[in-house]
Amino acid sequence: MPTLFRFLFICATIAGIIYAVMWSLTVFVEPRERDVTIKIPSERVNPVEQ
């Protein structure tokens, strides 16, 4: 097998493995829902005018 074909085959194999890992993460992993509280300082909500 020439060097270029071997290189392309290795790149395609690596891309396929990465795609399979990403697909399996989206199918088998369920994110946990939780409440998010963000405190905003009052200076940002009501800026003081000078």
Side-chain angles (χ1 to χ4, degrees):
M1 196 184 311
T3 306
L4 178 62
F5 292 134
R6 186 178 304 149
F7 173 72
L8 292 176
F9 179 74
I10 290 171
C11 288
T13 303
I14 291 171
I17 290 171
I18 291 171
Y19 184 80
V21 168
M22 289 174 56
W23 178 82
S24 63
L25 282 174
T26 60
V27 171
F28 296 118
V29 176
E30 291 293 328
R32 288 180 267 162
E33 292 185 14
R34 59 183 180 179
D35 292 333
V36 177
T37 304
I38 301 173
K39 295 186 178 188
I40 302 174
S42 62
E43 293 84 23
R44 291 187 66 191
V45 178
N46 299 319
V48 179
E49 295 181 23
Q50 295 178 356

